[in-house]
Amino acid sequence: MRGPRPDAGALLLELWRCDPERAPLALFARGSLRPLLAAALLIHAELARACEEASEEMVALVRLAWWREALAGEGSHDHPALAVLADEPAALLIRRTLLASLPVRERLVEERGFATLADYRAYAAATSGALHRLLAELAGRGQAVVRAAADAGTAYGIAGLLRSQRAYARRGIALLPRELIPPRRVLARASGVAVAELPAAVRQLLAEVDPLLPPRPPRDPLVRLPLALARRSHRQLARAGFDPFHPRIGPLPWAGIRPSLVLRGIRPRA
């Protein structure tokens, strides 16, 4: 027997706080789809935060282990997004997709970054790319849109992850692949030291985005929005001289919109 449906408005507000850049994908979906997309987006954001915000490696790994148990349905775990999964037939697809992203997240924490450019791209594909594939599948899109959404999500992951470098550097993690630039050079820049090689390494990494940006993408918000985020991330880094530690690096334009204004008038449908 199903319990009471979670408060969709509260779930969307929490999503906007955790991932304001991607929140519009759930906000402007049809009413019956909003809680499902919001739950997938919110859990993805929580997994990213577990790696990015934890004070030390073991704390991050414990948080990821908590989510592994929760997504596997083991034990009792309290979170508004998990309440949605308990109430939806598509929960199994969401759980499987998000569980599959945990090994690469744990590897990032344990290895304190990426060895190669291929590792970096694989991480983006297994996290952001898989998320956007999932969203398109949940929305019942055709295979062409599903593939385009996965590529767009990977492109956003490649560019967007760079904007997290400053947060990861607080724990001594250098996200730029070690084959491009030694971690000590990246972390020296985090301490305010000028590093001449950094912009060239960032440009080389961002070149991985170009093949994922089709000239004529499907006219579907599940593809167009992550593509727009990827391009805006790229432009933001370019304006900052390809320095991920520049003060100009931060949330993309609509992320500063107050969620209460966006959610005004949006009500969950029965």
PDB file of all heavy atoms in Angstrom, residues 87-127:
ATOM      1  N   ASP A  87       7.176   5.653  -4.114  1.00  0.00           N
ATOM      2  CA  ASP A  87       5.804   5.858  -4.578  1.00  0.00           C
ATOM      3  C   ASP A  87       5.670   5.759  -6.089  1.00  0.00           C
ATOM      4  O   ASP A  87       4.600   5.966  -6.632  1.00  0.00           O
ATOM      5  CB  ASP A  87       5.340   7.245  -4.098  1.00  0.00           C
ATOM      6  CG  ASP A  87       3.843   7.446  -4.247  1.00  0.00           C
ATOM      7  OD1 ASP A  87       3.098   6.536  -3.846  1.00  0.00           O
ATOM      8  OD2 ASP A  87       3.436   8.489  -4.783  1.00  0.00           O
ATOM      9  N   GLU A  88       6.773   5.463  -6.810  1.00  0.00           N
ATOM     10  CA  GLU A  88       6.756   5.531  -8.272  1.00  0.00           C
ATOM     11  C   GLU A  88       7.187   4.218  -8.914  1.00  0.00           C
ATOM     12  O   GLU A  88       8.171   3.608  -8.495  1.00  0.00           O
ATOM     13  CB  GLU A  88       7.710   6.646  -8.750  1.00  0.00           C
ATOM     14  CG  GLU A  88       7.231   8.057  -8.425  1.00  0.00           C
ATOM     15  CD  GLU A  88       6.049   8.489  -9.272  1.00  0.00           C
ATOM     16  OE1 GLU A  88       5.721   7.772 -10.249  1.00  0.00           O
ATOM     17  OE2 GLU A  88       5.447   9.524  -8.961  1.00  0.00           O
ATOM     18  N   PRO A  89       6.477   3.779  -9.966  1.00  0.00           N
ATOM     19  CA  PRO A  89       6.873   2.550 -10.672  1.00  0.00           C
ATOM     20  C   PRO A  89       8.257   2.647 -11.319  1.00  0.00           C
ATOM     21  O   PRO A  89       8.915   1.632 -11.518  1.00  0.00           O
ATOM     22  CB  PRO A  89       5.783   2.401 -11.742  1.00  0.00           C
ATOM     23  CG  PRO A  89       4.619   3.196 -11.241  1.00  0.00           C
ATOM     24  CD  PRO A  89       5.215   4.329 -10.476  1.00  0.00           C
ATOM     25  N   ALA A  90       8.696   3.862 -11.679  1.00  0.00           N
ATOM     26  CA  ALA A  90       9.991   4.031 -12.345  1.00  0.00           C
ATOM     27  C   ALA A  90      11.162   4.059 -11.367  1.00  0.00           C
ATOM     28  O   ALA A  90      12.297   4.305 -11.769  1.00  0.00           O
ATOM     29  CB  ALA A  90       9.981   5.318 -13.166  1.00  0.00           C
ATOM     30  N   ALA A  91      10.892   3.799 -10.087  1.00  0.00           N
ATOM     31  CA  ALA A  91      11.943   3.905  -9.069  1.00  0.00           C
ATOM     32  C   ALA A  91      13.137   3.007  -9.366  1.00  0.00           C
ATOM     33  O   ALA A  91      14.281   3.388  -9.118  1.00  0.00           O
ATOM     34  CB  ALA A  91      11.370   3.575  -7.692  1.00  0.00           C
ATOM     35  N   LEU A  92      12.896   1.814  -9.911  1.00  0.00           N
ATOM     36  CA  LEU A  92      13.990   0.867 -10.141  1.00  0.00           C
ATOM     37  C   LEU A  92      15.004   1.424 -11.128  1.00  0.00           C
ATOM     38  O   LEU A  92      16.218   1.300 -10.926  1.00  0.00           O
ATOM     39  CB  LEU A  92      13.443  -0.468 -10.648  1.00  0.00           C
ATOM     40  CG  LEU A  92      14.476  -1.591 -10.829  1.00  0.00           C
ATOM     41  CD1 LEU A  92      15.192  -1.890  -9.514  1.00  0.00           C
ATOM     42  CD2 LEU A  92      13.803  -2.848 -11.379  1.00  0.00           C
ATOM     43  N   LEU A  93      14.527   2.065 -12.200  1.00  0.00           N
ATOM     44  CA  LEU A  93      15.430   2.657 -13.188  1.00  0.00           C
ATOM     45  C   LEU A  93      16.263   3.765 -12.556  1.00  0.00           C
ATOM     46  O   LEU A  93      17.474   3.865 -12.800  1.00  0.00           O
ATOM     47  CB  LEU A  93      14.625   3.208 -14.367  1.00  0.00           C
ATOM     48  CG  LEU A  93      15.421   3.935 -15.460  1.00  0.00           C
ATOM     49  CD1 LEU A  93      16.450   3.004 -16.090  1.00  0.00           C
ATOM     50  CD2 LEU A  93      14.471   4.509 -16.512  1.00  0.00           C
ATOM     51  N   ILE A  94      15.643   4.590 -11.741  1.00  0.00           N
ATOM     52  CA  ILE A  94      16.368   5.681 -11.080  1.00  0.00           C
ATOM     53  C   ILE A  94      17.419   5.116 -10.129  1.00  0.00           C
ATOM     54  O   ILE A  94      18.581   5.538 -10.124  1.00  0.00           O
ATOM     55  CB  ILE A  94      15.385   6.601 -10.314  1.00  0.00           C
ATOM     56  CG1 ILE A  94      14.416   7.272 -11.287  1.00  0.00           C
ATOM     57  CG2 ILE A  94      16.151   7.658  -9.510  1.00  0.00           C
ATOM     58  CD1 ILE A  94      13.339   8.089 -10.606  1.00  0.00           C
ATOM     59  N   ARG A  95      17.013   4.147  -9.329  1.00  0.00           N
ATOM     60  CA  ARG A  95      17.944   3.562  -8.361  1.00  0.00           C
ATOM     61  C   ARG A  95      19.141   2.924  -9.067  1.00  0.00           C
ATOM     62  O   ARG A  95      20.288   3.124  -8.665  1.00  0.00           O
ATOM     63  CB  ARG A  95      17.221   2.517  -7.510  1.00  0.00           C
ATOM     64  CG  ARG A  95      16.196   3.100  -6.544  1.00  0.00           C
ATOM     65  CD  ARG A  95      15.454   1.989  -5.803  1.00  0.00           C
ATOM     66  NE  ARG A  95      14.415   2.504  -4.936  1.00  0.00           N
ATOM     67  CZ  ARG A  95      14.598   2.911  -3.679  1.00  0.00           C
ATOM     68  NH1 ARG A  95      15.822   2.839  -3.156  1.00  0.00           N
ATOM     69  NH2 ARG A  95      13.611   3.366  -2.945  1.00  0.00           N
ATOM     70  N   ARG A  96      18.879   2.151 -10.111  1.00  0.00           N
ATOM     71  CA  ARG A  96      19.976   1.487 -10.826  1.00  0.00           C
ATOM     72  C   ARG A  96      20.939   2.489 -11.442  1.00  0.00           C
ATOM     73  O   ARG A  96      22.163   2.309 -11.385  1.00  0.00           O
ATOM     74  CB  ARG A  96      19.388   0.589 -11.915  1.00  0.00           C
ATOM     75  CG  ARG A  96      18.797  -0.708 -11.398  1.00  0.00           C
ATOM     76  CD  ARG A  96      18.186  -1.498 -12.545  1.00  0.00           C
ATOM     77  NE  ARG A  96      17.728  -2.815 -12.116  1.00  0.00           N
ATOM     78  CZ  ARG A  96      17.017  -3.644 -12.882  1.00  0.00           C
ATOM     79  NH1 ARG A  96      16.695  -3.284 -14.118  1.00  0.00           N
ATOM     80  NH2 ARG A  96      16.646  -4.816 -12.423  1.00  0.00           N
ATOM     81  N   THR A  97      20.398   3.540 -12.051  1.00  0.00           N
ATOM     82  CA  THR A  97      21.246   4.529 -12.718  1.00  0.00           C
ATOM     83  C   THR A  97      22.133   5.250 -11.712  1.00  0.00           C
ATOM     84  O   THR A  97      23.342   5.417 -11.935  1.00  0.00           O
ATOM     85  CB  THR A  97      20.386   5.541 -13.488  1.00  0.00           C
ATOM     86  OG1 THR A  97      19.590   4.840 -14.463  1.00  0.00           O
ATOM     87  CG2 THR A  97      21.247   6.574 -14.184  1.00  0.00           C
ATOM     88  N   LEU A  98      21.551   5.673 -10.602  1.00  0.00           N
ATOM     89  CA  LEU A  98      22.319   6.421  -9.612  1.00  0.00           C
ATOM     90  C   LEU A  98      23.302   5.525  -8.860  1.00  0.00           C
ATOM     91  O   LEU A  98      24.409   5.945  -8.525  1.00  0.00           O
ATOM     92  CB  LEU A  98      21.368   7.140  -8.652  1.00  0.00           C
ATOM     93  CG  LEU A  98      20.494   8.219  -9.319  1.00  0.00           C
ATOM     94  CD1 LEU A  98      19.431   8.722  -8.359  1.00  0.00           C
ATOM     95  CD2 LEU A  98      21.350   9.372  -9.824  1.00  0.00           C
ATOM     96  N   LEU A  99      22.911   4.288  -8.615  1.00  0.00           N
ATOM     97  CA  LEU A  99      23.842   3.345  -7.994  1.00  0.00           C
ATOM     98  C   LEU A  99      25.055   3.107  -8.882  1.00  0.00           C
ATOM     99  O   LEU A  99      26.188   2.977  -8.393  1.00  0.00           O
ATOM    100  CB  LEU A  99      23.135   2.011  -7.717  1.00  0.00           C
ATOM    101  CG  LEU A  99      22.346   1.900  -6.419  1.00  0.00           C
ATOM    102  CD1 LEU A  99      21.485   0.638  -6.429  1.00  0.00           C
ATOM    103  CD2 LEU A  99      23.272   1.905  -5.203  1.00  0.00           C
ATOM    104  N   ALA A 100      24.827   3.064 -10.195  1.00  0.00           N
ATOM    105  CA  ALA A 100      25.931   2.797 -11.132  1.00  0.00           C
ATOM    106  C   ALA A 100      26.958   3.917 -11.143  1.00  0.00           C
ATOM    107  O   ALA A 100      28.100   3.706 -11.563  1.00  0.00           O
ATOM    108  CB  ALA A 100      25.375   2.582 -12.538  1.00  0.00           C
ATOM    109  N   SER A 101      26.584   5.123 -10.679  1.00  0.00           N
ATOM    110  CA  SER A 101      27.529   6.241 -10.668  1.00  0.00           C
ATOM    111  C   SER A 101      28.424   6.246  -9.431  1.00  0.00           C
ATOM    112  O   SER A 101      29.414   6.985  -9.378  1.00  0.00           O
ATOM    113  CB  SER A 101      26.771   7.578 -10.739  1.00  0.00           C
ATOM    114  OG  SER A 101      26.146   7.896  -9.499  1.00  0.00           O
ATOM    115  N   LEU A 102      28.096   5.431  -8.432  1.00  0.00           N
ATOM    116  CA  LEU A 102      28.842   5.488  -7.169  1.00  0.00           C
ATOM    117  C   LEU A 102      30.294   5.037  -7.290  1.00  0.00           C
ATOM    118  O   LEU A 102      31.180   5.661  -6.686  1.00  0.00           O
ATOM    119  CB  LEU A 102      28.114   4.676  -6.096  1.00  0.00           C
ATOM    120  CG  LEU A 102      26.813   5.298  -5.587  1.00  0.00           C
ATOM    121  CD1 LEU A 102      26.125   4.373  -4.602  1.00  0.00           C
ATOM    122  CD2 LEU A 102      27.076   6.649  -4.932  1.00  0.00           C
ATOM    123  N   PRO A 103      30.623   3.977  -8.041  1.00  0.00           N
ATOM    124  CA  PRO A 103      32.038   3.572  -8.115  1.00  0.00           C
ATOM    125  C   PRO A 103      32.963   4.665  -8.640  1.00  0.00           C
ATOM    126  O   PRO A 103      34.073   4.831  -8.105  1.00  0.00           O
ATOM    127  CB  PRO A 103      32.001   2.351  -9.053  1.00  0.00           C
ATOM    128  CG  PRO A 103      30.633   1.781  -8.873  1.00  0.00           C
ATOM    129  CD  PRO A 103      29.743   2.965  -8.689  1.00  0.00           C
ATOM    130  N   VAL A 104      32.550   5.417  -9.671  1.00  0.00           N
ATOM    131  CA  VAL A 104      33.449   6.455 -10.187  1.00  0.00           C
ATOM    132  C   VAL A 104      33.560   7.609  -9.189  1.00  0.00           C
ATOM    133  O   VAL A 104      34.614   8.244  -9.089  1.00  0.00           O
ATOM    134  CB  VAL A 104      33.004   6.975 -11.569  1.00  0.00           C
ATOM    135  CG1 VAL A 104      33.097   5.893 -12.618  1.00  0.00           C
ATOM    136  CG2 VAL A 104      31.623   7.595 -11.532  1.00  0.00           C
ATOM    137  N   ARG A 105      32.498   7.875  -8.455  1.00  0.00           N
ATOM    138  CA  ARG A 105      32.578   8.925  -7.426  1.00  0.00           C
ATOM    139  C   ARG A 105      33.535   8.510  -6.310  1.00  0.00           C
ATOM    140  O   ARG A 105      34.339   9.311  -5.829  1.00  0.00           O
ATOM    141  CB  ARG A 105      31.184   9.215  -6.862  1.00  0.00           C
ATOM    142  CG  ARG A 105      30.205   9.798  -7.870  1.00  0.00           C
ATOM    143  CD  ARG A 105      28.900  10.181  -7.205  1.00  0.00           C
ATOM    144  NE  ARG A 105      27.879  10.581  -8.151  1.00  0.00           N
ATOM    145  CZ  ARG A 105      27.789  11.773  -8.727  1.00  0.00           C
ATOM    146  NH1 ARG A 105      28.691  12.698  -8.443  1.00  0.00           N
ATOM    147  NH2 ARG A 105      26.813  12.060  -9.572  1.00  0.00           N
ATOM    148  N   GLU A 106      33.440   7.275  -5.890  1.00  0.00           N
ATOM    149  CA  GLU A 106      34.348   6.780  -4.841  1.00  0.00           C
ATOM    150  C   GLU A 106      35.795   6.790  -5.329  1.00  0.00           C
ATOM    151  O   GLU A 106      36.706   7.130  -4.569  1.00  0.00           O
ATOM    152  CB  GLU A 106      33.915   5.377  -4.421  1.00  0.00           C
ATOM    153  CG  GLU A 106      32.605   5.370  -3.653  1.00  0.00           C
ATOM    154  CD  GLU A 106      31.998   3.992  -3.510  1.00  0.00           C
ATOM    155  OE1 GLU A 106      32.300   3.112  -4.348  1.00  0.00           O
ATOM    156  OE2 GLU A 106      31.206   3.794  -2.559  1.00  0.00           O
ATOM    157  N   ARG A 107      36.003   6.448  -6.598  1.00  0.00           N
ATOM    158  CA  ARG A 107      37.350   6.460  -7.153  1.00  0.00           C
ATOM    159  C   ARG A 107      37.922   7.872  -7.170  1.00  0.00           C
ATOM    160  O   ARG A 107      39.106   8.084  -6.874  1.00  0.00           O
ATOM    161  CB  ARG A 107      37.336   5.868  -8.564  1.00  0.00           C
ATOM    162  CG  ARG A 107      38.712   5.433  -9.076  1.00  0.00           C
ATOM    163  CD  ARG A 107      38.585   4.714 -10.403  1.00  0.00           C
ATOM    164  NE  ARG A 107      37.626   3.624 -10.329  1.00  0.00           N
ATOM    165  CZ  ARG A 107      36.578   3.478 -11.138  1.00  0.00           C
ATOM    166  NH1 ARG A 107      36.348   4.359 -12.090  1.00  0.00           N
ATOM    167  NH2 ARG A 107      35.767   2.450 -11.004  1.00  0.00           N
ATOM    168  N   LEU A 108      37.093   8.846  -7.510  1.00  0.00           N
ATOM    169  CA  LEU A 108      37.545  10.244  -7.489  1.00  0.00           C
ATOM    170  C   LEU A 108      38.035  10.627  -6.093  1.00  0.00           C
ATOM    171  O   LEU A 108      39.095  11.252  -5.944  1.00  0.00           O
ATOM    172  CB  LEU A 108      36.398  11.163  -7.911  1.00  0.00           C
ATOM    173  CG  LEU A 108      36.574  12.664  -7.625  1.00  0.00           C
ATOM    174  CD1 LEU A 108      37.739  13.231  -8.416  1.00  0.00           C
ATOM    175  CD2 LEU A 108      35.284  13.430  -7.928  1.00  0.00           C
ATOM    176  N   VAL A 109      37.266  10.250  -5.079  1.00  0.00           N
ATOM    177  CA  VAL A 109      37.642  10.585  -3.700  1.00  0.00           C
ATOM    178  C   VAL A 109      38.913   9.851  -3.292  1.00  0.00           C
ATOM    179  O   VAL A 109      39.847  10.451  -2.733  1.00  0.00           O
ATOM    180  CB  VAL A 109      36.483  10.235  -2.739  1.00  0.00           C
ATOM    181  CG1 VAL A 109      36.920  10.421  -1.288  1.00  0.00           C
ATOM    182  CG2 VAL A 109      35.265  11.101  -3.040  1.00  0.00           C
ATOM    183  N   GLU A 110      38.973   8.551  -3.558  1.00  0.00           N
ATOM    184  CA  GLU A 110      40.113   7.736  -3.110  1.00  0.00           C
ATOM    185  C   GLU A 110      41.405   8.095  -3.837  1.00  0.00           C
ATOM    186  O   GLU A 110      42.481   8.104  -3.233  1.00  0.00           O
ATOM    187  CB  GLU A 110      39.791   6.254  -3.318  1.00  0.00           C
ATOM    188  CG  GLU A 110      38.694   5.745  -2.390  1.00  0.00           C
ATOM    189  CD  GLU A 110      38.176   4.385  -2.798  1.00  0.00           C
ATOM    190  OE1 GLU A 110      38.497   3.939  -3.928  1.00  0.00           O
ATOM    191  OE2 GLU A 110      37.440   3.769  -1.998  1.00  0.00           O
ATOM    192  N   GLU A 111      41.308   8.389  -5.147  1.00  0.00           N
ATOM    193  CA  GLU A 111      42.509   8.693  -5.930  1.00  0.00           C
ATOM    194  C   GLU A 111      42.796  10.194  -5.976  1.00  0.00           C
ATOM    195  O   GLU A 111      43.768  10.610  -6.603  1.00  0.00           O
ATOM    196  CB  GLU A 111      42.347   8.129  -7.341  1.00  0.00           C
ATOM    197  CG  GLU A 111      42.215   6.617  -7.348  1.00  0.00           C
ATOM    198  CD  GLU A 111      42.091   6.030  -8.746  1.00  0.00           C
ATOM    199  OE1 GLU A 111      42.160   6.815  -9.733  1.00  0.00           O
ATOM    200  OE2 GLU A 111      41.930   4.805  -8.853  1.00  0.00           O
ATOM    201  N   ARG A 112      41.928  10.993  -5.342  1.00  0.00           N
ATOM    202  CA  ARG A 112      42.113  12.443  -5.219  1.00  0.00           C
ATOM    203  C   ARG A 112      42.302  13.110  -6.582  1.00  0.00           C
ATOM    204  O   ARG A 112      43.175  13.957  -6.770  1.00  0.00           O
ATOM    205  CB  ARG A 112      43.299  12.750  -4.299  1.00  0.00           C
ATOM    206  CG  ARG A 112      43.200  12.059  -2.943  1.00  0.00           C
ATOM    207  CD  ARG A 112      44.305  12.454  -2.012  1.00  0.00           C
ATOM    208  NE  ARG A 112      44.186  13.848  -1.585  1.00  0.00           N
ATOM    209  CZ  ARG A 112      43.329  14.276  -0.665  1.00  0.00           C
ATOM    210  NH1 ARG A 112      42.509  13.444  -0.085  1.00  0.00           N
ATOM    211  NH2 ARG A 112      43.280  15.555  -0.340  1.00  0.00           N
ATOM    212  N   GLY A 113      41.442  12.722  -7.520  1.00  0.00           N
ATOM    213  CA  GLY A 113      41.490  13.338  -8.833  1.00  0.00           C
ATOM    214  C   GLY A 113      41.493  12.293  -9.939  1.00  0.00           C
ATOM    215  O   GLY A 113      41.084  11.141  -9.733  1.00  0.00           O
ATOM    216  N   PHE A 114      41.978  12.687 -11.114  1.00  0.00           N
ATOM    217  CA  PHE A 114      41.972  11.832 -12.294  1.00  0.00           C
ATOM    218  C   PHE A 114      43.393  11.689 -12.832  1.00  0.00           C
ATOM    219  O   PHE A 114      44.140  12.657 -12.882  1.00  0.00           O
ATOM    220  CB  PHE A 114      41.090  12.438 -13.383  1.00  0.00           C
ATOM    221  CG  PHE A 114      39.675  12.704 -12.942  1.00  0.00           C
ATOM    222  CD1 PHE A 114      39.276  13.990 -12.581  1.00  0.00           C
ATOM    223  CD2 PHE A 114      38.748  11.680 -12.879  1.00  0.00           C
ATOM    224  CE1 PHE A 114      37.981  14.237 -12.166  1.00  0.00           C
ATOM    225  CE2 PHE A 114      37.446  11.917 -12.466  1.00  0.00           C
ATOM    226  CZ  PHE A 114      37.063  13.200 -12.104  1.00  0.00           C
ATOM    227  N   ALA A 115      43.719  10.477 -13.278  1.00  0.00           N
ATOM    228  CA  ALA A 115      45.047  10.246 -13.860  1.00  0.00           C
ATOM    229  C   ALA A 115      45.113  10.760 -15.290  1.00  0.00           C
ATOM    230  O   ALA A 115      46.098  11.378 -15.693  1.00  0.00           O
ATOM    231  CB  ALA A 115      45.384   8.762 -13.822  1.00  0.00           C
ATOM    232  N   THR A 116      44.075  10.521 -16.071  1.00  0.00           N
ATOM    233  CA  THR A 116      44.110  10.849 -17.498  1.00  0.00           C
ATOM    234  C   THR A 116      42.892  11.648 -17.905  1.00  0.00           C
ATOM    235  O   THR A 116      41.868  11.675 -17.210  1.00  0.00           O
ATOM    236  CB  THR A 116      44.163   9.574 -18.363  1.00  0.00           C
ATOM    237  OG1 THR A 116      42.905   8.879 -18.225  1.00  0.00           O
ATOM    238  CG2 THR A 116      45.304   8.663 -17.927  1.00  0.00           C
ATOM    239  N   LEU A 117      42.991  12.245 -19.084  1.00  0.00           N
ATOM    240  CA  LEU A 117      41.877  12.972 -19.659  1.00  0.00           C
ATOM    241  C   LEU A 117      40.720  12.007 -19.926  1.00  0.00           C
ATOM    242  O   LEU A 117      39.551  12.352 -19.737  1.00  0.00           O
ATOM    243  CB  LEU A 117      42.342  13.655 -20.944  1.00  0.00           C
ATOM    244  CG  LEU A 117      41.456  14.716 -21.563  1.00  0.00           C
ATOM    245  CD1 LEU A 117      42.301  15.732 -22.315  1.00  0.00           C
ATOM    246  CD2 LEU A 117      40.440  14.105 -22.509  1.00  0.00           C
ATOM    247  N   ALA A 118      41.038  10.779 -20.340  1.00  0.00           N
ATOM    248  CA  ALA A 118      39.997   9.773 -20.579  1.00  0.00           C
ATOM    249  C   ALA A 118      39.237   9.450 -19.286  1.00  0.00           C
ATOM    250  O   ALA A 118      38.017   9.242 -19.309  1.00  0.00           O
ATOM    251  CB  ALA A 118      40.612   8.506 -21.163  1.00  0.00           C
ATOM    252  N   ASP A 119      39.938   9.421 -18.154  1.00  0.00           N
ATOM    253  CA  ASP A 119      39.284   9.176 -16.869  1.00  0.00           C
ATOM    254  C   ASP A 119      38.306  10.308 -16.538  1.00  0.00           C
ATOM    255  O   ASP A 119      37.208  10.065 -16.032  1.00  0.00           O
ATOM    256  CB  ASP A 119      40.323   9.078 -15.750  1.00  0.00           C
ATOM    257  CG  ASP A 119      41.182   7.833 -15.858  1.00  0.00           C
ATOM    258  OD1 ASP A 119      40.743   6.861 -16.494  1.00  0.00           O
ATOM    259  OD2 ASP A 119      42.303   7.850 -15.312  1.00  0.00           O
ATOM    260  N   TYR A 120      38.731  11.524 -16.812  1.00  0.00           N
ATOM    261  CA  TYR A 120      37.880  12.692 -16.539  1.00  0.00           C
ATOM    262  C   TYR A 120      36.603  12.609 -17.365  1.00  0.00           C
ATOM    263  O   TYR A 120      35.491  12.791 -16.861  1.00  0.00           O
ATOM    264  CB  TYR A 120      38.661  13.968 -16.874  1.00  0.00           C
ATOM    265  CG  TYR A 120      37.979  15.260 -16.465  1.00  0.00           C
ATOM    266  CD1 TYR A 120      38.445  15.998 -15.379  1.00  0.00           C
ATOM    267  CD2 TYR A 120      36.893  15.763 -17.177  1.00  0.00           C
ATOM    268  CE1 TYR A 120      37.841  17.191 -15.012  1.00  0.00           C
ATOM    269  CE2 TYR A 120      36.289  16.955 -16.811  1.00  0.00           C
ATOM    270  CZ  TYR A 120      36.764  17.663 -15.728  1.00  0.00           C
ATOM    271  OH  TYR A 120      36.148  18.838 -15.373  1.00  0.00           O
ATOM    272  N   ARG A 121      36.765  12.320 -18.665  1.00  0.00           N
ATOM    273  CA  ARG A 121      35.592  12.241 -19.533  1.00  0.00           C
ATOM    274  C   ARG A 121      34.682  11.080 -19.123  1.00  0.00           C
ATOM    275  O   ARG A 121      33.455  11.211 -19.138  1.00  0.00           O
ATOM    276  CB  ARG A 121      36.018  12.079 -20.994  1.00  0.00           C
ATOM    277  CG  ARG A 121      34.828  11.913 -21.924  1.00  0.00           C
ATOM    278  CD  ARG A 121      35.191  12.055 -23.370  1.00  0.00           C
ATOM    279  NE  ARG A 121      34.031  11.781 -24.210  1.00  0.00           N
ATOM    280  CZ  ARG A 121      33.902  12.180 -25.456  1.00  0.00           C
ATOM    281  NH1 ARG A 121      34.854  12.907 -26.019  1.00  0.00           N
ATOM    282  NH2 ARG A 121      32.840  11.872 -26.159  1.00  0.00           N
ATOM    283  N   ALA A 122      35.276   9.949 -18.746  1.00  0.00           N
ATOM    284  CA  ALA A 122      34.473   8.805 -18.315  1.00  0.00           C
ATOM    285  C   ALA A 122      33.668   9.143 -17.064  1.00  0.00           C
ATOM    286  O   ALA A 122      32.520   8.709 -16.916  1.00  0.00           O
ATOM    287  CB  ALA A 122      35.379   7.599 -18.055  1.00  0.00           C
ATOM    288  N   TYR A 123      34.258   9.922 -16.160  1.00  0.00           N
ATOM    289  CA  TYR A 123      33.537  10.354 -14.965  1.00  0.00           C
ATOM    290  C   TYR A 123      32.325  11.209 -15.352  1.00  0.00           C
ATOM    291  O   TYR A 123      31.224  10.999 -14.841  1.00  0.00           O
ATOM    292  CB  TYR A 123      34.478  11.148 -14.055  1.00  0.00           C
ATOM    293  CG  TYR A 123      33.812  11.641 -12.788  1.00  0.00           C
ATOM    294  CD1 TYR A 123      33.864  10.884 -11.626  1.00  0.00           C
ATOM    295  CD2 TYR A 123      33.143  12.858 -12.750  1.00  0.00           C
ATOM    296  CE1 TYR A 123      33.256  11.323 -10.457  1.00  0.00           C
ATOM    297  CE2 TYR A 123      32.522  13.301 -11.595  1.00  0.00           C
ATOM    298  CZ  TYR A 123      32.581  12.538 -10.451  1.00  0.00           C
ATOM    299  OH  TYR A 123      31.964  12.974  -9.304  1.00  0.00           O
ATOM    300  N   ALA A 124      32.531  12.163 -16.257  1.00  0.00           N
ATOM    301  CA  ALA A 124      31.427  13.027 -16.685  1.00  0.00           C
ATOM    302  C   ALA A 124      30.323  12.214 -17.342  1.00  0.00           C
ATOM    303  O   ALA A 124      29.133  12.470 -17.147  1.00  0.00           O
ATOM    304  CB  ALA A 124      31.939  14.101 -17.638  1.00  0.00           C
ATOM    305  N   ALA A 125      30.691  11.207 -18.128  1.00  0.00           N
ATOM    306  CA  ALA A 125      29.692  10.371 -18.801  1.00  0.00           C
ATOM    307  C   ALA A 125      28.919   9.513 -17.806  1.00  0.00           C
ATOM    308  O   ALA A 125      27.703   9.323 -17.950  1.00  0.00           O
ATOM    309  CB  ALA A 125      30.369   9.484 -19.841  1.00  0.00           C
ATOM    310  N   ALA A 126      29.617   8.988 -16.783  1.00  0.00           N
ATOM    311  CA  ALA A 126      28.983   8.092 -15.818  1.00  0.00           C
ATOM    312  C   ALA A 126      28.141   8.824 -14.791  1.00  0.00           C
ATOM    313  O   ALA A 126      27.316   8.193 -14.104  1.00  0.00           O
ATOM    314  CB  ALA A 126      30.050   7.263 -15.104  1.00  0.00           C
ATOM    315  N   THR A 127      28.324  10.120 -14.663  1.00  0.00           N
ATOM    316  CA  THR A 127      27.567  10.898 -13.679  1.00  0.00           C
ATOM    317  C   THR A 127      26.564  11.809 -14.394  1.00  0.00           C
ATOM    318  O   THR A 127      25.393  11.480 -14.517  1.00  0.00           O
ATOM    319  CB  THR A 127      28.520  11.694 -12.785  1.00  0.00           C
ATOM    320  OG1 THR A 127      29.404  12.501 -13.599  1.00  0.00           O
ATOM    321  CG2 THR A 127      29.370  10.776 -11.920  1.00  0.00           C
TER     322      THR A 127
END
